[in-house]
Amino acid sequence: MAFTVHDILYAKRKGLKHSSEEIKSLVNGYVAGDVADYQVSAWLMAACINGLDSDETSALTQAMVDSGETIDLSSLGGTTVDKHSTGGIGDKTTLVLVPLLASASLTVAKMSGRGLGITGGTIDKLESIPGFSVNLSKEQFLDQARRIGCVVAGQTANLAPADKKIYALRDVTATVDCIPLIAASVMSKKIASGAKTILLDVKSGSGAFMKDIESARELADTMIDIGRAAGRRTIAVISDMDQPLGLAVGNSVEVAEAIDTLKGNGPSDLTELCIELASLLCNAACPENGISRTQIEELLSSGAALLKFRQMIEAQDGDSKVLDDTSLLPQAKFSLSVYAKSSGYITAVDAERIGRAACLLGAGRSRKEDQIDPTAGVLLRKKIGDQIEAGEELAVLVWSGNISPEPAVLSAESAFSIGAHAPESKPLIQDKLGF
Ligand code: URA
């Protein structure tokens, strides 16, 4: 049956369900330039208000996948896996998990994004390794995955281009924080990237997109449904992002912390998350060949995962000497400490405020074209539950640019709450879904 763009917009305004043909025609028309920005903007707002059900969300995802190239990983032969984090402060999990999974004989051919907002994305972090190249041709990308089992590169421009165009509109029409639109956006890129098994790390808390566990669960369930409808084994965890993950927030400082973790000297929360995610992903991808938690721990303690990271850095033209001496990573010119004004226990370290401090120091970008300062960031000295004396260091701010650090100092200071008693500890992994 013939329908017009007007019909599609009117249907969603009235809260009616779209057919997949309607969604496909809207997305294809937009990419082709036949549907205008203002029409898609109106549809996005109606979709946010009236919702999209699971069929519509899957149809939107598939239309965005089909708008560009898809990566066929079947020629790699091995068990292909991918992981996605919805983003959090100090989240350098990918830098540890990718080589760890490769050392467990899984294949991780991962496309990653740059950060927009508080700190850099995985690609920005990797670029702080001198020489490291994230711009690989499709052939280089596949060849490296085949040879060493892991590769992390920047997303090609033609991966889900409809998502790119629609995301730019969402950004300026107050339609980013809408669960079906986020789920379709994330999953279109994961599905186009080709892995057979996908692990979603959905963050929940002050430093995350999803501020509470209920919305984190809803996002995870929606993404699991989309992945399964597309024939991918998809599982999810909800992990805590009320305080930053690990102690380092920034770019080169996070790479240094990831290296420490691959050497078995990382902060306990980051180490625990990486071991748990690796174990869940290995067992989901190869249920018939289960791998124990102890075996995963051995891959870290034996140096096998670190060796994979070395191979990956060298294959991507980076200086792997940073693994032996992290002072070869870009170092900040300036530093300033933030001190406790009272004694007691740390009861909160607001992740968003720490992230904002890092961004103000130059670790993030507010516009796509902004340059980041790879050395900028925040090094936490205390986390929730730690005891502190007045005058003790809470955090150290580091940066190299010509900036005034006062706003960052205020943001970092206000992130810490100190009380008379240690709070009850919260589990890092709050839920597991899709198992
Ligand atoms: N990340 C994405 O890729 N898409 C969204 O919509 C939100 C976060």
Side-chain angles (χ1 to χ4, degrees):
M1 195 179 115
F3 47 81
T4 64
V5 177
H6 186 281
D7 296 334
I8 299 173
L9 304 191
Y10 189 74
K12 196 39 71 187
R13 195 190 118 196
K14 290 290 180 190
L16 302 178
K17 177 175 170 126
H18 290 312
S19 66
S20 55
E21 285 69 33
E22 286 174 318
I23 291 182
K24 211 185 303 175
S25 102
L26 186 73
V27 171
N28 291 349
Y30 186 45
V31 173
D34 300 332
V35 177
D37 280 351
Y38 50 80
Q39 291 175 304
V40 177
S41 300
W43 180 80
L44 287 167
M45 188 58 79
C48 280
I49 294 168
N50 289 327
L52 297 173
D53 74 8
S54 60
D55 295 333
E56 293 173 302
T57 310
S58 279
L60 175 62
T61 310
Q62 197 56 49
M64 296 200 293
V65 171
D66 294 339
S67 69
E69 71 172 334
T70 52
I71 314 282
D72 180 3
L73 300 181
S74 60
S75 68
L76 301 181
T79 306
T80 54
V81 297
D82 199 353
K83 166 260 176 187
H84 177 81
S85 158
T86 57
I89 312 304
D91 186 4
K92 69 285 287 175
T93 313
T94 294
L95 303 178
V96 180
L97 194 58
V98 166
L100 179 56
L101 292 168
S103 71
S105 303
L106 298 182
T107 302
V108 202
K110 187 167 174 52
M111 297 229 171
S112 230
R114 289 187 188 281
L116 191 56
I118 282 180
T119 55
T122 298
I123 288 300
D124 299 301
K125 292 171 195 174
L126 283 169
E127 276 188 336
S128 66
I129 299 173
F132 194 95
S133 168
V134 295
N135 300 316
L136 305 184
S137 69
K138 198 161 151 182
E139 291 68 34
Q140 289 171 317
F141 180 75
L142 292 174
D143 178 59
Q144 184 178 325
R146 195 175 292 114
R147 279 189 299 110
I148 64 172
C150 55
V151 54
V152 180
Q155 230 156 258
T156 62
N158 203 24
L159 196 85
D163 170 61
K164 230 165 257 133
K165 208 166 167 194
I166 292 173
Y167 190 89
L169 264 194
R170 288 169 57 206
D171 208 21
V172 292
T173 54
T175 53
V176 168
D177 62 343
C178 164
I179 285 179
L181 296 181
I182 297 173
S185 166
V186 167
M187 291 306 287
S188 65
K189 290 168 285 204
K190 292 290 109 184
I191 291 165
S193 301
K196 287 274 175 286
T197 304
I198 301 167
L199 168 67
L200 303 162
D201 179 8
V202 179
K203 304 288 188 191
S204 156
S206 75
F209 241 134
M210 299 293 122
K211 303 289 179 206
D212 58 78
I213 185 131
E214 288 73 29
S215 38
R217 277 201 192 101
E218 192 184 337
L219 177 60
D221 281 331
T222 310
M223 293 196 287
I224 290 171
D225 286 347
I226 296 172
R228 292 187 173 176
R232 310 303 166 91
R233 214 177 275 136
T234 311
I235 55 173
V237 301
I238 312 288
S239 67
D240 178 53
M241 190 34 74
D242 258 344
Q243 67 175 336
L245 184 64
L247 296 167
V249 176
N251 292 285
S252 67
V253 292
E254 289 197 30
V255 173
E257 188 168 87
I259 294 170
D260 289 343
T261 306
L262 283 163
K263 290 179 173 174
N265 305 322
S268 58
D269 57 349
L270 175 64
T271 304
E272 172 58 25
L273 185 64
C274 292
I275 290 173
E276 186 66 21
L277 295 186
S279 157
L280 293 172
L281 197 39
C282 284
N283 288 303
C286 307
E288 64 291 350
N289 270 331
I291 181 162
S292 68
R293 191 188 155 91
T294 313
Q295 285 169 302
I296 299 280
E297 284 167 352
E298 274 166 16
L299 292 169
L300 276 180
S301 59
S302 66
L306 185 69
L307 175 64
K308 276 291 162 201
F309 198 33
R310 188 179 297 277
Q311 290 171 345
M312 183 177 118
I313 292 174
E314 287 171 0
Q316 295 187 234
D317 297 328
D319 182 359
S320 65
K321 289 199 286 298
V322 298
L323 298 178
D324 311 308
D325 178 2
T326 53
S327 73
L328 296 173
L329 288 164
Q331 299 294 308
K333 288 190 192 146
F334 310 109
S335 69
L336 196 61
S337 295
V338 171
Y339 299 99
K341 295 199 169 83
S342 57
S343 303
Y345 291 88
I346 306 289
T347 55
V349 186
D350 187 293
E352 190 167 9
R353 289 174 194 221
I354 295 293
R356 201 172 310 128
C359 191
L360 288 164
L361 294 165
R365 48 170 86 71
S366 46
R367 288 170 310 158
K368 270 208 307 273
E369 53 282 11
D370 291 348
Q371 289 291 320
I372 60 167
D373 169 2
T375 70
V378 178
L379 300 165
L380 301 176
R381 297 295 189 231
K382 297 285 174 187
K383 300 250 318 213
I384 294 178
D386 289 345
Q387 204 169 2
I388 184 128
E389 296 294 325
E392 242 190 294
E393 224 175 33
L394 288 167
V396 182
L397 313 190
V398 291
W399 75 97
S400 296
N402 186 17
I403 54 138
S404 143
E406 282 74 26
V409 170
L410 290 178
S411 189
E413 270 175 353
S414 69
F416 289 88
S417 304
I418 297 173
H421 307 285
E424 254 180 52
S425 65
K426 215 160 70 167
L428 179 59
I429 295 190
Q430 301 178 344
D431 206 351
K432 297 176 189 173
L433 298 128
F435 290 86

